[in-house]
Amino acid sequence: DAGVTQSPTHLIKTRGQQVTLRCSPKSGHDTVSWYQQALGQGPQFIFQYYEEEERQRGNFPDRFSGHQFPNYSSELNVNALLLGDSALYLCASSLTLGQLHYGYTFGSGTRLTVV
Amino acid sequence: KNQVEQSPQSLIILEGKNCTLQCNYTVSPFSNLRWYKQDTGRGPVSLTIMTFSENTKSNGRYTATLDADTKQSSLHITASQLSDSASYICVVSSTGNQFYFGTGTSLTVIP
């Protein structure tokens, strides 16, 4: 049973470019959350997708957008990249039942470097 | 304000020794508390999860405690190994479906 799968593992982009990161949730999970983790810091919540809709959003600008597909996989898009967007981007999947999340599991992350 | 604070920020111990990491939180209403281990450049891996009614939970050499009254948790690592070198992150979730992350404790185990 595969866990949470993220791709690519590493990525280098130039300032001003756009990037798309992908996440496949763990089998049986229906909710995907995205986090940005700067070096030496804890993960910062970007947004969460459930039933193909953005359900919650953290304090990130509109340059950060996402999508969830019918198979529960998700994409994170970042436009007009800034040097400060360089970070480890983590995806976490879970099963939503009511107000609770079960089996909250992280992927290995995508390391984005903006030059 | 909902916050999670961890201490110490970093820790160096000799292989075979025990250590205890601390997590204090102000998250309310409380749902559960998780401890994660994160190797450098990798995603966090869950060690334990505790709800309000649980005081202690073990996972091998890792033992987590929770005092919901004082809003404190600890993670005790017994007989440390070199592979225990990682960041340990405390995550508290509220009943409002929000997750609050600590900044982690960086543990280095030296031979």
Side-chain angles (χ1 to χ4, degrees), chain A residues 2 9 12 21 26 28 32 40-41 58 61 67-68 72 75 96-97 103-104 111:
Chain A
T9 55
I12 299 176
L21 311 182
K26 186 175 181 180
V32 173
Q41 300 295 314
H67 188 76
Q68 185 179 35
Y72 308 120
E75 289 182 348
T96 294
L97 293 175
Y104 211 80
R111 170 65 64 185

Side-chain angles (χ1 to χ4, degrees), chain B residues 27 29-34 91-100:
Chain B
V27 175
F30 174 88
S31 177
N32 57 64
L33 185 147
R34 295 170 162 90
V91 182
V92 181
S93 66
S94 70
T95 54
N97 199 23
Q98 298 276 353
F99 288 78
Y100 299 91

Side-chain angles (χ1 to χ4, degrees), chain A residues 35 37 40-43 48 55-56 88 90 99-101 103-109 111, chain B residues 31-32 34 36 38 41-46 89 94-99 101-104:
Chain A
Y35 294 84
Q37 187 177 25
Q41 300 295 314
Q48 182 182 84
R55 182 160 68 170
Q56 292 183 8
L88 180 68
L90 295 166
Q99 289 292 314
L100 299 179
H101 290 268
Y104 211 80
T105 305
F106 284 90
S108 294
R111 170 65 64 185
Chain B
S31 177
N32 57 64
R34 295 170 162 90
Y36 284 90
Q38 185 176 23
R42 308 288 293 175
V45 175
S46 179
I89 303 175
S94 70
T95 54
N97 199 23
Q98 298 276 353
F99 288 78
F101 286 72
T103 54

Side-chain angles (χ1 to χ4, degrees), chain A residues 30-110:
Chain A
D30 59 7
T31 303
V32 173
S33 304
W34 286 94
Y35 294 84
Q36 179 194 68
Q37 187 177 25
L39 199 62
Q41 300 295 314
Q44 298 295 315
F45 176 71
I46 303 175
F47 44 54
Q48 182 182 84
Y49 276 85
Y50 172 67
E51 294 187 336
E52 301 181 48
E53 291 188 354
E54 182 182 293
R55 182 160 68 170
Q56 292 183 8
R57 189 179 182 92
N59 189 26
F60 278 80
D62 292 343
R63 297 187 297 109
F64 290 77
S65 63
H67 188 76
Q68 185 179 35
F69 299 94
N71 67 353
Y72 308 120
S73 66
S74 177
E75 289 182 348
L76 164 65
N77 301 293
V78 187
N79 295 323
L81 285 167
L82 305 174
L83 295 179
D85 294 331
S86 296
L88 180 68
Y89 287 84
L90 295 166
C91 165
S93 75
S94 58
L95 174 65
T96 294
L97 293 175
Q99 289 292 314
L100 299 179
H101 290 268
Y102 292 90
Y104 211 80
T105 305
F106 284 90
S108 294
T110 292

